[in-house]
Structures are given as structure tokens and as C-alpha cells.
Amino acid sequence: AGLGEKTSWATMSGVDEGLTVYLEEIMGLTDTRSKSIFVQGAGGVGDEFITKAFSPQSTRDVVAIADITIEVLKAARTKVRESRPGPESEEPVFIFVKNAARGFYKDKFDRALKEAVSEGFVIAEDLPDAIRQAGRIKKRIGILAPNANSHPITKEVIDAFKSVGGHAVFGPANNMLSLDANGSYEAVGRYALEKGIFIPNDSAINMMGAATVIIDAMIHHALKEGVKLNDMQFSAVREALVRKLIQVVGERVLEEYREAFLAGKIPQRWRDRLAEAIHNDRVKRGVAIAGQFPERKDEAVTPPPVSGGGNGPAVETNVIELPQVSPEPAVAVKAGEMATLSDDVTADSFSTFAAPMMGAGVFGGMPAMSALSVMM
């Protein structure tokens, strides 16, 4: 998820883009399933999610907000009331999750519980109980947005979520699927699939925090190599790259829904197999030196086309290579061209250079680009 406060906006924006694609392009207007949202975790990126959901232009329907801290819940309630004044009956349900809060407050838990009751928060034992209680009050919940701890999605959570009409999980929580005794997500992933609940892989939905850090490193590397950018240009270049990459989140969500979920495959497993196929392809083309993953003929995934490497055309060392995703062609931008950008460069004007930065890529030999491609 977000790597600190400075990346929370990017992380949330990526999640929001993925959710938008799911609601508008996958569900569409004819799908009668609920589009209401249960938010787990209202601090950090969760706070960004709530801020955007209750902005004047938003149509998001957040019906429940759960957290383990009193102050965070109170702050979320204040934000909601200031953004959308109205009767309390139309507000989200604010839920204090007791079991997790006990570990947070320790010897001050009893006092915190009394305060939660006095504030009028719904008291839940755990996340499954919170989902069920919210469902009883708000009738139907379609989307679960986990913003807190890792591995929040268990079979118990899936059962509770399904019982209130849930059908998709979109949030920045890392490693959303819980693990079995062998450290595998397979059992929970398969269970979600059987219950008809779509859970995109982490690298599809919450990649933007880490990606933003890598983008910053890439730009700073270019500056060290002699590229000249003033403060405004730096901000414009950074924003253009981030916004372009945010669009890719939506593409990844569509890809996993169509290629994996609809085909009866666990999205996380499908994405893992794709990463293996890309790695094996790089080794075969001579652009990487490593062992190869075993061939999995029953789960064959074709890696996307890339340019350069192996017997392909050479790539200049002073080039940002932004490989093809779909359907736009790859664009290579010489670092020298960045130096000639005028003082009035804008994010829009620079975005013509910034084709989707997915798959294999090179930024003047910058290793960070490899990290970006592996993460995706």
C-alpha cells in the first residue's frame, strides 16, 4: 500500500481508478447488485478514500466505516458530516471493532470501549461481525474496501460479506488474502472465487504507492545524469507519470476480471503465472540471467510483447523505454528531450511522452524500473 503519507494520495487514486472501472465498465448500469461500500480502516489511505468518496463530485455510496481507534472514527464522522450534512439515518454506520482494538489500547481498552459506546458507535467483535451488523442496518453491501492490516480476507470474512450481498473487494491493504498453515493464499482465493467474489491482485489495485516512490527515484536519477528540470517541471513530469500509471490500474482490473475471474481462475494465481511467464521470456531472450520457473502447461499464460533485448533492436542507454501495454504503441523518450521542456510545461503536455510504464523497461539503466516491472 502507500509507503508513507506522501504516497497515500497516489495509492488511493489507484484504488479508486480500479473501483471506478469495476463499477462502470464491469457492472455497468444494468447490474442490480449493490454498489454500496464498507470501509475497513479510516486512517492513512482509508482517510484519503473517505475524503474522495465524500467530495462534492463523488457518487460513491459509503454505508459503513469500521476502525479500531476512537479518534479515527470520530474524525471520519466529522468529515462525513461536514461534507454531506443531513439526518443521521443517512450517514454511514460507524463501527468500533473490539477484538483488534483490545490489542491496540491494551490496559486502556475498557475506557476506550466505554467511550465508543458513549459516542454511539456500533460495537463489533471482529470484521465478520462488523460486516453482518452493517448489513442488518444498511440492508445490502456490495464492495468491501480494506485499508488496514494485511491478510484481512478470511473464509469467515467472505461468508459474512457474501451474506450481505458482497461481490468485490477493492482496497489498498497489502496481501489481502489470508494464508493457510503452509503460507498459501490458494484456499481463501478459491473460496472467494466459488462464492462469486472478485478480489483483484495487490499488484493490480494498490501498486501506486510503491510505484510513486520508484517514479521519484527515476526522475532523480535523470537529474543526476544531467537532465535539467525546474521545480514546476519536476512536479509536472512526476504528476504526468503518476496519472498515466493510475490509468493502468483500471486496465489491470479489467484484465484480471476477464482473463482470470470469468475463466474460473484465482486472480492472484493468474497474476503469479503471468509474472513467471514474463520472467522466463526475459531469460530466454537474454535480457535477464537467472533460473527459470517450471513450465505449467495447464496454466499457460502468454507474456505481453516487449521491445529490445536478446536478438531484438538495441535500446539506447539514455532512453526511457515505456513498453507497449494496449493498445498504445511504446514510446521511447530521450532524456535529453526532457531537458528541453519549456518552463510552461504542463502535466497534459508531458503526458504525450509518458506512454503506460508497464512490463519490462529501462530508464537510463536505472534498476528501479526493473523493480517497477516486477511489482506489476
Side-chain angles (χ1 to χ4, degrees):
L3 304 179
E5 186 175 334
K6 82 180 240 186
T7 62
S8 291
W9 171 84
T11 302
M12 179 279 303
S13 296
V15 172
D16 188 71
E17 173 69 13
L19 179 56
T20 298
V21 167
Y22 178 76
L23 293 176
E24 296 181 2
E25 297 190 37
I26 295 175
M27 290 188 70
L29 298 176
T30 60
D31 197 319
T32 59
R33 291 177 297 174
S34 173
K35 295 183 178 180
S36 58
I37 303 169
F38 181 111
V39 177
Q40 180 224 12
V45 183
D47 178 61
E48 295 276 2
F49 188 96
I50 293 167
T51 298
K52 188 170 183 66
F54 286 91
S55 63
Q57 65 272 24
S58 174
T59 59
R60 295 281 186 265
D61 181 24
V62 173
V63 296
I65 298 173
D67 205 276
I68 65 171
T69 57
I70 304 296
E71 293 306 315
V72 168
L73 280 173
K74 288 165 67 175
R77 184 174 61 186
T78 298
K79 179 169 293 187
V80 168
R81 290 177 175 176
E82 290 177 348
S83 301
R84 293 184 189 171
E88 287 189 22
S89 61
E90 295 180 5
E91 290 181 353
V93 179
F94 295 93
I95 306 172
F96 181 70
V97 184
K98 194 164 66 170
N99 286 357
R102 193 184 302 276
F104 178 79
Y105 284 103
K106 297 182 171 45
D107 58 341
K108 298 179 181 179
F109 172 73
D110 289 340
R111 187 193 312 169
L113 180 59
K114 288 180 181 178
E115 184 178 359
V117 172
S118 68
E119 290 288 341
F121 298 146
V122 172
I123 309 299
E125 293 292 327
D126 51 22
L127 181 55
D129 184 38
I131 292 171
R132 289 193 180 95
Q133 291 203 53
R136 282 194 290 270
I137 297 169
K138 294 296 186 178
K139 306 308 179 187
R140 297 182 72 200
I141 298 171
I143 311 294
L144 174 60
N147 302 289
N149 54 302
S150 60
H151 306 296
I153 308 302
T154 64
K155 289 185 177 181
E156 292 74 21
V157 169
I158 290 171
D159 284 337
F161 187 41
K162 187 66 178 178
S163 73
V164 300
H167 50 84
V169 178
F170 279 83
N174 289 315
N175 305 313
M176 286 193 283
L177 302 183
S178 64
L179 306 178
D180 62 18
N182 296 316
S184 173
Y185 59 74
E186 292 276 343
V188 172
R190 176 61 57 187
Y191 195 66
L193 195 63
E194 292 170 354
K195 294 292 183 179
I197 296 175
F198 175 50
I199 307 176
N201 192 41
D202 296 9
S203 63
I205 195 66
N206 77 350
M207 68 183 195
M208 285 308 305
T212 300
V213 173
I214 294 172
I215 286 170
D216 283 350
M218 291 164 59
I219 298 175
H220 282 292
H221 176 75
L223 295 176
K224 283 185 177 181
E225 293 297 310
V227 173
K228 303 296 184 182
L229 295 175
N230 60 34
D231 289 346
M232 191 190 73
Q233 288 173 328
F234 178 94
S235 297
V237 168
R238 182 179 187 273
E239 183 178 350
L241 291 172
V242 169
R243 289 192 180 280
K244 194 67 179 179
L245 202 52
I246 284 171
Q247 296 175 20
V248 177
V249 175
E251 294 177 11
R252 291 304 196 211
V253 167
L254 276 176
E255 183 180 48
E256 291 188 1
Y257 186 82
R258 292 169 176 168
E259 300 295 328
F261 186 74
L262 291 183
K265 301 175 183 178
I266 303 170
Q268 289 73 17
R269 185 179 180 87
W270 181 86
R271 182 63 66 183
D272 284 349
R273 297 297 171 261
L274 179 61
E276 290 176 4
I278 292 172
H279 170 84
N280 286 350
D281 179 67
R282 289 173 180 168
V283 173
K284 290 175 182 177
R285 292 188 296 110
V287 296
I289 300 175
Q292 294 192 48
F293 290 97
E295 296 290 338
R296 304 176 192 270
K297 295 181 180 179
D298 58 328
E299 300 178 277
V301 178
T302 303
V306 295
S307 61
N311 296 321
V315 179
E316 293 183 55
T317 58
N318 197 28
V319 166
I320 310 168
E321 183 185 298
L322 306 175
Q324 179 173 339
V325 181
S326 67
E328 301 177 46
V331 176
V333 183
K334 292 184 179 179
E337 291 177 341
M338 293 173 63
T340 64
L341 293 175
S342 64
D343 288 343
D344 61 351
V345 66
T346 65
D348 287 340
S349 66
F350 188 79
S351 67
T352 60
F353 294 103
M357 291 170 32
M358 301 297 292
V362 178
F363 189 97
M366 180 66 180
M369 194 61 226
S370 297
L372 185 62
S373 65
V374 169
M375 180 183 67
M376 301 180 195

